[in-house]
């Protein structure tokens, strides 16, 4: 910890998770995580009575939220730290601003310079931490599954795989409002001319209707027994 200049990580104490929508005044979709400020003040009082110091605050606006609310969250948390310090006896040492960087952050335009400027006042008060999440770990692995059934329902084609939501949560995109299913590479067991090339949804073998892990566009041939390789699956995977 000392070599990383993060002495607060070695201090004993509690961290409180704040609700991002509450902190931002509803500027991001609401969820049930964390506390609003009044709840945080109350929790800090209970912890103080028990002899437990509050040394950090944590807030996270959700996956892929950086470009949408990253700047606003950094600016607002500076005022939150001041208010928390003013209304409680605790001296904060760290604030974790979550992450929210997309997996392809290296290939998209993000307000990194503006964000660096936005957290400067906060860094004068506390150590600022970030969560790498999928921004680092997505590229760290691939997901490989095999097709075990080919079926049609009302003319729509489905390829059922032996791996799915339970093994590669990220592919199911359960957090995405508008889904953009990935198309894997296909390692086929047959010659291309012998394999059907109609478009298909790729699904896992569970009974969860969210267990859709990708799709094959028209012209990409695949059949039962083929191996499908999804890249960028190191995050939110069980292997």
């Amino acid at each position: 910890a000392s070599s990383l200049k993060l002495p607060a990580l070695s201090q004993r104490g509690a961290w409180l998770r704040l609700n991002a929508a509450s902190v931002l005044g509803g500027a991001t979709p609401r969820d049930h995580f964390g506390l609003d400020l009044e709840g945080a003040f109350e929790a800090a009082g209970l912890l103080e009575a028990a002899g437990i110091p509050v040394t950090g605050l944590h807030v996270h606006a959700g996956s892929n939220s950086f470009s949408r609310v990253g700047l606003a969250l950094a600016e607002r948390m500076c005022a939150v730290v001041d208010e928390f310090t003013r209304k409680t006896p605790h001296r904060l040492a760290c604030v974790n601003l979550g992450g929210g960087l997309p997996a392809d952050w290296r290939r998209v335009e993000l307000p990194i310079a503006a964000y660096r400027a936005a957290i400067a006042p906060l860094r004068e008060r506390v150590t600022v931490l970030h969560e790498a999440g999928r921004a680092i770990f997505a590229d760290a692995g691939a997901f490989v599954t095999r097709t075990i059934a080919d079926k049609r329902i009302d003319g729509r084609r489905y390829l059922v795989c032996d791996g799915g939501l339970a093994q590669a949560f990220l592919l199911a995109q359960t957090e995405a409002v508008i889904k953009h299913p990935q198309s894997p590479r296909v390692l086929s067991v047959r010659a291309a001319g012998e394999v059907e090339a109609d478009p298909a949804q790729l699904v896992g073998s569970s009974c969860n209707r969210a267990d859709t892990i990708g799709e094959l566009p028209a012209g990409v041939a695949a059949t039962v027994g083929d191996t499908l390789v999804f890249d960028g699956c190191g995050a939110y995977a069980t292997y």
Side-chain angles (χ1 to χ4, degrees):
S2 59
S3 64
L4 294 174
K5 298 182 180 179
L6 297 177
L9 296 183
S10 62
Q11 295 178 6
R12 296 185 63 185
W15 287 52
L16 299 179
R17 168 76 179 263
L18 301 180
N19 182 273
S22 180
V23 169
L24 292 170
T28 191
R30 293 198 174 276
D31 55 44
H32 60 280
F33 299 109
L35 306 161
D36 61 16
L37 281 180
E38 290 305 316
F41 296 149
E42 181 180 355
L46 294 171
L47 289 166
E48 173 69 16
I52 302 172
V54 175
T55 59
L57 298 177
H58 175 218
V59 64
H60 179 47
S63 300
N64 301 308
S65 62
F66 181 85
S67 60
R68 188 178 71 253
V69 297
L71 289 176
L73 195 59
E75 293 167 352
R76 176 65 183 130
M77 281 303 293
C78 192
V80 167
V81 167
D82 288 343
E83 187 174 359
F84 191 88
T85 303
R86 189 169 60 250
K87 293 186 176 181
T88 75
H90 302 282
R91 184 181 181 279
L92 295 174
C94 285
V95 166
N96 184 330
L97 291 176
L101 287 170
D104 61 348
W105 65 274
R106 295 176 180 86
R107 297 178 288 277
V108 296
E109 292 291 329
L110 293 172
I112 299 296
Y115 184 75
R116 185 183 297 115
I119 65 173
L122 186 59
R123 292 183 63 205
E124 293 176 358
R125 293 161 171 78
V126 293
T127 296
V128 178
L129 305 179
H130 297 86
E131 297 171 24
R134 71 187 67 193
I136 297 297
F137 293 104
D139 285 342
F143 180 62
V144 181
T145 184
R146 183 173 287 110
T147 56
I148 57 176
D150 188 338
K151 61 185 285 187
R152 289 180 183 268
I153 300 176
D154 294 332
R156 189 170 191 178
R157 186 184 181 209
Y158 296 88
L159 283 172
V160 183
C161 305
D162 62 0
L165 170 72
Q167 293 78 30
F169 174 78
L170 194 63
L171 283 176
Q173 297 187 39
T174 59
E175 299 169 299
V177 177
I178 301 176
K179 297 188 178 186
H180 299 285
Q182 286 194 38
S183 296
R185 289 177 283 137
V186 179
L187 307 181
S188 186
V189 296
R190 300 181 189 172
E194 304 174 6
V195 180
E196 190 173 356
D198 285 350
Q201 275 201 303
L202 306 174
V203 299
S205 56
S206 75
C207 60
N208 189 326
R209 67 179 59 194
D211 199 356
T212 299
I213 59 173
E215 64 182 13
L216 290 181
V220 177
T223 189
V224 174
D226 285 353
T227 297
L228 309 180
V229 181
F230 293 89
D231 294 313
C233 289
Y236 297 98
T238 58
Y239 299 102

